[in-house]
Amino acid sequence: MIWLGRLGNFLWSGWAGLAGLCLLAAAWQAGHEAYGSFILPATVATLQQIGATLSDPLFAEATSTTALRAATGFAVAASIGAVVGIAAGYSMATLRAARPLMTVLLGVPPIAWIVLAMIWFGASDGTVVATVVIAATPIVFGAAAQGIATRERGLDDMARVFGASALQRFYHLSLRHLAAHLFPALAVALGTAVKVAVMAELLTNTGGIGTELANARARLDVTAAMSWVLIAVALLLVLEYALLQPIRSQLERWRSAAQPWGVKR
């Protein structure tokens, strides 16, 4: 019953997001009427194209390929970034040494990493996954390190005095504080993973949504290109709400409990 209640609250909170999407659709239609179909196709025509794409056997293959590559790269980046970031947060010397390296990784454009990955791995899944890992890891690292470094050390010392082990202190104290910094960064990293995966697929022609975008570009089919862009965005939303939001709601139950009745965000 508790899970059903959380699911109901989660679905109900989606109405605000739906209103924002409706405003975006209205702005899109206004842009179509102002600039024409070659610049921005009509929303109805794009939705019709999406419907036709959904019935195409290539749809499942393209979306599953991109989803698998993006999710794999994101999982590796999240694991490495979180573990190294937590370790750096507990050691200021490690943090000072690792932060410039992460800044360098963030400063290099993803397209440059794609070119290097193509040289290293060729036109393969490894190119896409490696580029995603390199692009997303610094984002997670910075959030994890900041979350641990800014924890309340007085509470940690108090728990140590009362006999709490390092694992207990991390789970009951540091993890709660870490989640507030980490989950927004994970959402950004997941968005980066999908975007970089599509970009790498477009340049390497290794299948997936990126290749379908390249085919639409070659045909100068703006409607098809926009439909695949929307499909990529929908894929990102599915991955975020299937992977991140359930874990976040579980770890941040205290936020809902701390809110007074009738004051729900």
Side-chain angles (χ1 to χ4, degrees):
M1 294 299 295
I2 296 177
W3 284 101
L4 289 176
R6 291 177 188 166
L7 179 61
N9 290 333
F10 177 74
L11 294 176
W12 179 256
S13 64
W15 285 108
L18 182 60
L21 293 177
C22 290
L23 290 175
L24 178 61
W28 181 349
Q29 184 62 29
H32 162 70
E33 294 177 358
Y35 298 104
S37 297
F38 187 76
I39 300 298
L40 196 61
T43 54
V44 175
T46 305
L47 292 177
Q48 291 173 347
Q49 180 64 42
I50 291 176
T53 302
L54 293 177
S55 61
D56 192 331
L58 290 176
F59 166 76
E61 180 182 355
T63 53
S64 60
T65 299
T66 301
L68 180 60
R69 290 167 174 169
T72 302
F74 169 75
V76 174
S79 301
I80 296 175
V83 171
V84 177
I86 290 172
Y90 280 110
S91 171
M92 293 306 297
T94 305
L95 181 59
R96 294 190 186 98
R99 185 172 288 170
L101 299 178
M102 295 301 168
T103 302
V104 170
L105 292 179
L106 278 176
V108 178
I111 192 170
W113 291 119
I114 294 173
V115 173
L116 292 174
M118 289 177 65
I119 298 174
W120 297 332
F121 303 105
S124 64
D125 291 352
T127 297
V128 181
V129 174
T131 308
V132 170
V133 171
I134 295 173
T137 298
I139 301 173
V140 182
F141 167 83
Q146 184 69 16
I148 293 298
T150 58
R151 72 190 187 280
E152 181 54 57
R153 300 176 186 272
L155 292 177
D156 195 67
D157 293 337
M158 181 184 68
R160 184 186 298 108
V161 169
F162 280 96
S165 65
L167 183 61
Q168 288 175 326
R169 296 196 306 272
F170 175 77
Y171 179 78
H172 292 287
L173 297 176
S174 301
L175 185 60
R176 291 341 190 232
H177 184 74
L178 174 65
H181 292 78
L182 187 58
F183 277 102
L186 287 176
V188 175
L190 182 58
T192 300
V194 174
K195 290 186 292 185
V196 170
V198 172
M199 183 191 307
E201 290 169 349
L202 190 150
L203 294 176
T204 59
N205 195 28
T206 54
I209 294 177
T211 297
E212 296 303 322
L213 277 172
N215 294 335
R217 177 195 60 187
R219 300 191 306 267
L220 296 180
D221 191 343
V222 182
T223 304
M226 289 299 300
S227 67
W228 280 108
V229 169
L230 291 182
I231 290 172
V233 173
L235 175 63
L236 170 59
L237 293 176
V238 169
L239 289 176
E240 179 178 351
Y241 284 93
L243 297 178
L244 294 184
Q245 292 301 330
I247 301 175
R248 183 174 188 176
S249 62
Q250 180 68 17
L251 289 178
E252 296 188 347
R253 288 178 295 171
W254 60 272
R255 291 185 182 274
S256 298
Q259 293 175 0
W261 290 104
V263 184
K264 300 293 183 182
R265 297 177 183 174

